[in-house]
Amino acid sequence: MPHTDVTATNPEVLLRYRMDGQVGAMRVLVTGGSGLVGRAIERVVKEEGGRREGEEWIFLSSKDANLMSAEETRALFQKHRPTHVIHLAAMVGGLFRNMRQNLDFWRNNVYINDNVLQASHEVGVVKVVSCLSTCIFPDKTSYPIDETMIHNGPPHESNFGYAYAKRMIDVHNRACFQQYGRRYTAVIPTNVFGPHDNFNIEDGHVLPGLIHKAYLAKKEGKALQVWGSGRPLRQFIYSLDLARLFLWVLREYDEVDPIILSVGEEDEVSIKDAADAVVEALEFKHGVIYDTSKADGQFKKTASNAKLRKYLPDFKFTPFKTAIKETCDWFVANYDIARK
Ligand code: NAP
Ligand code: GDP
């Protein structure tokens, strides 16, 4: 297997787990288990041997509880009494949805995050791994951005609601450690893509948006419309790679400070490169048009993966074009059931 062994065990983490009096197998609750990242973690757990004997994994969707409600969240945690939590549930969207709904992104995510972290503390969860994003980083900054720079200035104005709500997870984690000694942490992924993404053209991120638009344009024999200039730069991570890294963080990573989960700076691509990869994967032949009346958003948010590389020097990311091809194939094969 080309990837790092995500089932390896850090004795210190296990020791703390046992010292907390929670002897026995982990019961992992995954909030947002029905989304892009949640479905990838489920696949790694169930199909790649990510689950250890005796472990219980519970994947939740909003149908199980509305995590914006403190009562529903508390009841859910009392019912399952997890030992570990991977917290993914969030209001998530691409640039254009963020620009339209900054207030909703702020309020929904602040409520969800506070409810999940507080309920975790109340039922004695040993470890929570939450999810930040590189789009919460300061807009005016030096590059590459690292984990110490999250709060160093305002985020890009296009998504300040989402960005500030996410930054508060880090504040919550540090305060919870200071006051109660809880080791709740967070990961910082770059733009994620893969099977089970939200392929809604108006609300979703750039790659699922481009894949869906190219799929429709191919049927209609029309050009692909790429929004903005195509010049902004992004680091993309395949959801399956992120899922493998999530399992490593859950089992091995023992810091409260967050960790960036990203491909290297050298693997940053332009939106034009991303559109070209989609065009190639879908064998699309009707031309590409750049609609510069649409926003470009943050020009770049180049993140350093030096901390990750210090821990996992040998982790192999799926090549971008391979991951794009797998995602396009999944979308075409699952068009009827895909979120769109
Ligand atoms: P997603 O596909 O949109 O999935 C969101 C998940 O959250 C779904 O399972 C959804 O449940 C659940 N959810 C939303 N509102 C909820 C509520 N009020 N109560 C309970 N559950 C709720 O998102 P994703 O892309 O997998 O993102 C997962 C995490 O990664 C998020 O924290 C996100 O901020 C972070 N992240 C994502 C990206 C990216 O590019 N996608 C990049 C960096 C970080 P339903 O299925 O029932 O709606
Ligand atoms: P961001 O990385 O947080 O800014 O969010 P997105 O994943 O939505 O990427 C936005 C970037 O992709 C901007 O530069 C957009 O101009 C560009 N883009 C090009 N076409 C599309 C599209 O169809 N949908 C989206 N969401 N962005 C697009």
Side-chain angles (χ1 to χ4, degrees):
M1 180 167 119
H3 304 281
T4 300
D5 177 10
V6 291
T7 62
T9 303
N10 175 340
E12 275 182 36
V13 173
L14 266 188
L15 188 64
R16 181 171 303 109
Y17 178 42
R18 297 203 169 114
M19 281 165 63
D20 278 354
Q22 310 241 9
V23 183
M26 300 198 307
R27 185 180 302 131
V28 188
L29 197 65
V30 182
T31 73
S34 52
L36 164 67
V37 181
R39 294 293 294 254
I41 293 178
E42 188 174 24
R43 186 163 135 192
V44 170
V45 165
K46 293 184 175 164
E47 295 172 25
E48 290 188 13
R51 179 176 163 276
R52 298 216 186 111
E53 214 182 311
E55 270 177 17
E56 193 182 342
W57 284 75
I58 302 152
F59 291 87
L60 302 171
S61 79
S62 61
K63 292 193 186 76
D64 295 288
N66 177 5
L67 299 173
M68 283 180 65
S69 153
E71 291 72 30
E72 287 188 38
T73 308
R74 191 173 288 122
L76 184 82
F77 275 70
Q78 304 262 355
K79 176 180 161 197
H80 292 293
R81 300 204 77 85
T83 61
H84 293 67
V85 171
I86 293 181
H87 172 39
L88 306 172
M91 181 176 180
V92 181
L95 168 65
F96 297 93
R97 188 179 190 202
N98 272 276
M99 287 167 61
R100 288 195 306 272
Q101 287 181 263
N102 263 300
L103 179 62
D104 296 335
F105 276 96
W106 161 254
R107 293 191 70 226
N108 292 6
N109 288 322
V110 159
Y111 282 126
I112 290 173
N113 297 334
D114 187 63
N115 290 337
V116 167
L117 290 169
Q118 176 61 17
S120 297
H121 171 60
E122 283 173 10
V123 303
V125 171
V126 177
K127 184 167 182 179
V128 181
V129 183
S130 299
C131 211
L132 312 181
S133 166
T134 52
C135 62
I136 74 168
F137 282 140
D139 184 33
K140 309 240 177 313
T141 179
S142 56
Y143 298 100
I145 307 174
D146 70 31
E147 292 84 352
T148 66
M149 297 158 72
I150 299 176
H151 303 283
N152 289 0
H156 192 265
E157 61 176 3
S158 58
N159 68 347
F160 69 93
Y162 175 83
Y164 278 119
K166 284 283 179 184
R167 286 184 187 188
M168 292 310 118
I169 291 180
D170 180 59
V171 172
H172 196 127
N173 285 346
R174 285 188 289 127
C176 203
F177 177 66
Q178 189 193 61
Q179 208 169 320
Y180 296 112
R182 292 267 185 231
R183 288 196 173 250
Y184 296 171
T185 191
V187 299
I188 312 177
T190 49
N191 292 49
V192 190
F193 70 100
H196 303 283
D197 206 339
N198 178 5
F199 290 87
N200 183 286
I201 291 172
E202 298 300 326
D203 288 348
H205 287 100
V206 57
L207 278 172
L210 289 176
I211 292 169
H212 193 177
K213 285 195 283 190
Y215 175 89
L216 296 177
K218 187 174 174 180
K219 281 200 159 166
E220 294 161 5
K222 292 183 177 159
L224 168 63
Q225 299 270 343
V226 179
W227 293 342
S229 68
R231 283 196 299 269
L233 302 172
R234 295 289 182 269
Q235 286 155 300
F236 291 101
I237 184 167
Y238 190 35
S239 58
L240 275 305
D241 291 339
L242 178 59
R244 293 170 190 125
L245 291 170
F246 245 109
L247 261 73
W248 167 78
V249 171
L250 184 73
R251 298 193 195 286
E252 300 285 324
Y253 181 73
D254 204 20
E255 298 184 32
V256 172
D257 288 340
I259 182 165
I260 291 170
L261 302 182
S262 173
V263 299
E265 292 152 61
E266 66 283 3
D267 292 320
E268 189 170 52
V269 297
S270 68
I271 298 298
K272 179 183 182 305
D273 294 333
D276 289 347
V278 169
V279 162
E280 189 183 324
L282 287 174
E283 295 173 10
F284 180 81
K285 303 202 188 308
H286 304 286
V288 178
I289 293 171
Y290 288 86
D291 180 352
T292 51
S293 70
K294 300 264 193 186
D296 267 347
Q298 193 163 2
F299 178 68
K300 64 178 185 174
K301 36 195 177 178
T302 317
S304 162
N305 70 356
K307 184 174 184 179
L308 175 67
R309 280 297 177 211
K310 223 170 117 199
Y311 278 105
L312 293 181
D314 299 326
F315 184 83
K316 298 223 176 354
F317 289 94
T318 307
F320 183 57
K321 284 190 177 180
T322 308
I324 289 285
K325 177 78 179 122
E326 286 180 15
T327 306
C328 288
D329 288 350
W330 183 89
F331 181 67
V332 172
N334 294 279
Y335 185 75
D336 291 339
I337 58 149
R339 261 191 300 165
K340 54 186 189 304

